[in-house]
């Protein structure tokens, strides 16, 4: 039997994420590769049968990098880096009992995150093809084991202890395709205990095809994140149009389970100002420009923004400081391939 974990680790947990742990298989590609697989830049899709051969083909035809990924896990790893103290964050999701799963666990724990995976005996760890062209990225996710997460794992004593310790819960919208019951259970816990629940729209397809589970979780959401394409798609799905300020205000005004504070909606727009809607008003925050030659790829930029934002939110910073930390973290990540945590302590000041 392995010795029980020191309870101190649990007590240190300020932020917990639930999501789909994936190993990114990243390659710089030509337009014909995107066309072949029906992939668009600045988009994310779930793999279909036609995409199955892509992962092996990519590894044969292009130099590929294997990088710890999965949107929620990326955000949690970045938040942990910004927060600094090991064990300040935890991450829960499902991996396979295989080499890729071990790699993901090593990466997360190496970054100081308390990785509490459900391990599926038969299904391999999920992977995500990251097709990079001109600094922009297209994601094709083969969830595999990540799709097998069950609420029974959430109900175990270990996970309940982590959830109880954390003040902030974060899920990418991608988790809506896997376990809405877990997200609703989290939402109820957060509302009852007056904690903070954060959700990301994550991809246009979530708003298009998973609108019902999205709307079932929305009453529990205190902070809603998204980028400009996701926000526009959400507006379209809700019949609000695609004007981002309007979508942000209407999303902020949707019914809310916990009436103790208003919902905050945060929409990023790449290098254009970040939009924040709160209490019937809009604020905009400029983004420091990065020279084009310094951009490597945008994979993980939105995840890093959320990570920086949540790190400061956990320290009770004001919204302007949270946005500044988010944009700073995104700026660091777009200067490397994928969501790689920079060496050494975080230098945000």
């Amino acid at each position: 039997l392995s010795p029980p974990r020191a309870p101190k680790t649990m007590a240190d947990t300020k932020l917990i994420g639930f999501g789909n742990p994936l190993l990114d298989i990243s390659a710089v590609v030509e337009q014909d590769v995107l066309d072949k697989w029906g992939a668009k830049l600045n988009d994310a899709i779930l793999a279909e049968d036609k995409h199955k051969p892509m992962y092996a083909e990519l590894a044969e035809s292009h130099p590929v990098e294997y990088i710890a990924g999965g949107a929620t896990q990326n955000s949690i790893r970045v938040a942990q880096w910004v927060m600094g103290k090991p064990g300040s964050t935890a991450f829960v999701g499902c991996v396979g009992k295989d080499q890729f799963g071990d790699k993901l666990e090593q990466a997360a724990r190496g970054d100081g995150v308390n990785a509490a995976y459900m391990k599926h005996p038969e299904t391999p760890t999920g992977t995500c093809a990251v097709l990079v062209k001109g600094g922009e990225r297209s994601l094709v996710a083969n969830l595999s084991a990540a799709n097998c997460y069950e609420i029974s794992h959430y109900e175990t004593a270990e996970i309940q202890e982590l959830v109880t310790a954390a003040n902030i819960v974060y899920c990418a919208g991608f988790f809506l395709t896997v376990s809405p019951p877990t997200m609703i259970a989290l939402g109820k816990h957060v509302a009852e205990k007056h904690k903070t629940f954060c959700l990301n729209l994550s991809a246009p397809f979530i708003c298009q095809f998973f609108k019902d589970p999205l709307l079932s979780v929305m009453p529990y959401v205190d902070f809603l994140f998204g980028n400009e394409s996701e926000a526009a798609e959400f507006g379209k799905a809700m019949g609000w149009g695609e004007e981002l300020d309007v979508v942000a205000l209407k999303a902020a005004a949707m019914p809310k389970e916990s009436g103790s504070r208003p919902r905050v909606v945060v929409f990023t727009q790449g290098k254009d100002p970040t939009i924040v809607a709160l209490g019937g008003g809009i604020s905009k925050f400029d983004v420091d420009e990065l020279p084009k030659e310094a951009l490597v790829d945008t994979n993980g930029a939105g995840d890093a923004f959320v990570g920086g934002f949540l790190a400061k939110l956990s320290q009770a910073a004001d919204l302007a400081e949270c946005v500044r930390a988010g944009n700073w973290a995104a700026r660091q990540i777009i200067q490397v391939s994928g969501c790689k945590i920079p060496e050494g302590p975080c230098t945000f000041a």
Side-chain angles (χ1 to χ4, degrees), residues 206-220:
I206 298 292
C207 308
Q208 291 164 326
F209 306 118
F210 293 87
K211 183 181 162 190
D212 289 347
L214 173 60
L215 294 182
S216 72
V217 171
M218 195 61 82
Y220 304 105

Side-chain angles (χ1 to χ4, degrees), residues 124-145:
T125 296
T127 49
C128 182
V130 181
L131 309 176
V132 179
K133 181 176 180 286
E136 297 286 310
R137 58 86 178 131
S138 181
L139 307 177
V140 185
N142 180 20
L143 296 184
S144 295

Side-chain angles (χ1 to χ4, degrees), residues 261-274:
R261 61 176 162 230
R263 181 182 294 113
V264 179
V265 176
V266 184
F267 290 154
T268 57
Q269 309 185 81
K271 64 183 188 323
D272 293 328
T274 302

Side-chain angles (χ1 to χ4, degrees), residues 322-339:
C322 292
V323 171
R324 193 170 76 84
N327 280 319
W328 180 88
R331 185 186 173 89
Q332 311 315 304
I333 294 301
I334 63 178
Q335 294 181 69
V336 294
S337 171
C339 198

Side-chain angles (χ1 to χ4, degrees), residues 139-340:
L139 307 177
V140 185
N142 180 20
L143 296 184
S144 295
N147 205 31
C148 300
Y149 189 80
E150 290 165 12
I151 194 167
S152 57
H153 181 260
Y154 166 78
E155 289 162 348
T156 61
E158 182 196 9
I159 304 307
Q160 286 301 301
E161 202 174 336
L162 284 170
V163 169
T164 301
N167 297 318
I168 301 173
V169 175
Y170 174 65
C171 296
F174 295 124
F175 201 50
L176 289 164
T177 74
V178 173
S179 189
T182 301
M183 294 175 76
I184 287 170
L186 282 165
K188 286 181 173 169
H189 167 82
V190 165
E192 188 187 317
K193 302 291 182 189
H194 305 292
K195 296 178 176 183
T196 302
F197 188 78
C198 308
L199 177 71
N200 203 313
L201 293 173
S202 292
F205 83 83
I206 298 292
C207 308
Q208 291 164 326
F209 306 118
F210 293 87
K211 183 181 162 190
D212 289 347
L214 173 60
L215 294 182
S216 72
V217 171
M218 195 61 82
Y220 304 105
V221 175
D222 296 298
F223 283 80
L224 180 69
F225 297 95
N227 68 20
E228 68 275 41
S229 57
E230 297 148 10
E233 200 57 57
F234 185 52
K236 223 160 45 172
M238 296 301 292
W240 300 335
E242 297 175 55
E243 173 61 47
L244 297 192
D245 289 10
V246 173
V247 177
L249 287 169
K250 286 191 177 287
M254 288 173 82
K256 201 162 173 295
E257 192 70 26
S258 167
S260 56
R261 61 176 162 230
R263 181 182 294 113
V264 179
V265 176
V266 184
F267 290 154
T268 57
Q269 309 185 81
K271 64 183 188 323
D272 293 328
T274 302
I275 297 168
V276 177
L278 168 66
I282 290 275
S283 303
K284 297 196 177 177
F285 298 90
D286 288 336
V287 177
D288 289 340
E289 205 165 333
L290 184 74
K292 184 79 174 143
E293 61 275 13
L295 173 71
V296 174
D297 72 53
T298 56
N299 181 30
D303 303 335
F305 174 88
V306 171
F309 188 104
L310 295 181
K312 287 298 159 188
L313 188 66
S314 77
Q315 295 163 0
D318 62 25
L319 279 176
E321 185 69 354
C322 292
V323 171
R324 193 170 76 84
N327 280 319
W328 180 88
R331 185 186 173 89
Q332 311 315 304
I333 294 301
I334 63 178
Q335 294 181 69
V336 294
S337 171
C339 198
K340 286 199 202 107

